[in-house]
Amino acid sequence: MIGPVQPADAGRLKSCCAAVYQGDFAQLLLGDSFHPGGMKLTERLGILLELGPATRVLDVASGKGESAIFLTQRFGCEVVGIDFGTENVAEASRRATSAGVAHLATFAQGDAEQIDYPDASFDAVICECAFCTFPNKRRAATEFVRVLRPSGRAGLSDLTRSGPLPSELEGLLAWVSCIADARPEDEYVGYLDAAGLRGAQIERHSQALAEIVRDIQGKLLGAELMVKLQGLNLPGVDLDQAKAMARAAADAVRAGLLGYSLITAWRA
Ligand SMILES: C[S@@+](CC[C@H](N)C(=O)[O-])C[C@H]1O[C@@H](n2cnc3c(N)ncnc32)[C@H](O)[C@@H]1O
């Protein structure tokens, strides 16, 4: 873990994270879904959380709405997505309309650490590949529990780490890439438990992380070729740094230092 985050840094981290995932480069590298395993792992999370037509779900850090829209189509549930980035929210709302599910999937700007919905207003909360980026994880977990009705359920899918990371995987870019502040599974469970969630179950899906890192490495090479051969302009992108980070991430996944897990728990 990087040293303690000060309140001023916390605001900058959230804005930076939202800006990165609203940008064209994230779309180029990741497509529409910004987490390992794509809709396959989102479906798995929905099954573990027993989503169905009568369920009202909060998707915290909903990105461009891919998961929320998928969940409405697959399980018939209602999903409210919140994301720090206003452009993500606008894009997610547009996509829900084109998918014909705007009556079930709605989106609003919001902060995971200060959720703008009343107590006990959701049956389930999901948070995919974003909890690791929240500067105040304890507060976010407490907010998840507050908005959950009694015996409601929460599901995280997130990067995990099992030891110190090399220097290429520290710093701001690694933080917003969900790596630098990834925690061991038992720390995530500790946050959920301290907030009042019980019966945590963990499923490991580190293969999905290995696949997305490999995919990103391929796309970075493609981007480099386009920059060299076709003069593609990627403002603000340091391709060498991104490649070094992706290489170090691939090594860390191979060494078992970084992984990816689904963690579900129930409100006591
Ligand atoms: C790795 S992306 C994951 C997006 C989405 N869950 C998915 O799997 O496609 C991280 C997302 O977290 C959002 N985010 C970062 N900090 C946030 C916060 N404090 N509250 C709400 N959203 C936040 C970013 O804007 C970004 O869309």
Side-chain angles (χ1 to χ4, degrees):
M1 181 180 83
I2 294 180
V5 176
Q6 303 303 320
D9 300 333
R12 185 169 153 248
L13 273 171
K14 291 177 203 174
S15 305
C16 179
C17 186
V20 164
Y21 289 102
Q22 288 176 160
D24 294 340
F25 196 53
Q27 180 99 37
L28 177 80
L29 292 185
L30 297 166
D32 291 331
S33 164
F34 297 155
H35 63 264
M39 292 309 106
K40 203 165 151 224
L41 280 196
T42 299
E43 180 178 36
R44 182 68 193 141
L45 201 55
I47 291 168
L48 291 171
L49 296 178
E50 299 173 7
L51 303 187
T55 325
R56 186 166 192 248
V57 184
L58 178 68
D59 180 4
V60 178
S62 46
K64 294 191 191 290
E66 187 80 355
S67 295
I69 292 167
F70 169 80
L71 291 173
T72 63
Q73 293 166 331
R74 167 67 177 81
F75 297 99
C77 51
E78 178 193 345
V79 185
V80 174
I82 59 165
D83 197 275
F84 204 74
T86 48
E87 287 168 36
N88 273 341
V89 170
E91 178 61 23
S93 304
R94 269 194 294 275
R95 289 178 183 203
T97 302
S98 354
V101 294
H103 58 300
L104 287 176
T106 53
F107 300 91
Q109 198 279 336
D111 185 345
E113 296 173 8
Q114 207 173 345
I115 296 175
D116 205 10
Y117 288 91
D119 297 358
S121 48
F122 293 94
D123 303 297
V125 171
I126 68 162
C127 184
E128 297 176 296
C129 206
F131 192 79
C132 58
T133 71
F134 301 153
N136 193 333
K137 295 174 176 47
R138 183 171 300 277
R139 195 185 302 159
T142 305
E143 281 292 86
F144 293 2
V145 175
R146 183 185 64 74
V147 298
L148 268 182
R149 66 159 169 77
S151 70
R153 49 263 190 211
L156 299 184
S157 72
D158 228 316
L159 262 83
T160 59
R161 69 191 282 181
S162 58
L165 293 172
S167 57
E168 295 93 328
L169 298 180
E170 290 185 337
L172 187 58
L173 183 60
W175 186 302
V176 302
S177 307
C178 306
I179 294 174
D181 207 37
R183 305 295 177 89
E185 280 167 353
D186 56 358
E187 261 193 57
Y188 290 126
V189 172
Y191 283 118
L192 300 182
D193 187 72
L197 292 165
R198 300 285 178 267
Q201 306 242 358
I202 297 174
E203 265 192 21
R204 300 208 170 109
H205 291 274
S206 298
Q207 188 53 33
L209 180 60
E211 282 161 19
I212 202 171
V213 172
R214 210 168 34 239
D215 207 37
I216 288 172
Q217 285 186 294
K219 288 183 175 152
L220 283 171
L221 286 178
E224 192 175 34
L225 269 180
M226 281 162 76
V227 167
K228 281 189 184 142
L229 300 179
Q230 296 173 14
L232 173 75
N233 189 17
L234 292 172
V237 174
D238 182 338
L239 269 181
D240 287 333
Q241 188 196 4
K243 272 171 37 195
M245 221 180 85
R247 200 176 316 117
D251 290 344
V253 177
R254 252 192 309 276
L257 194 55
L258 283 177
Y260 200 76
S261 294
L262 304 188
I263 304 176
T264 51
W266 308 80
R267 185 177 159 177

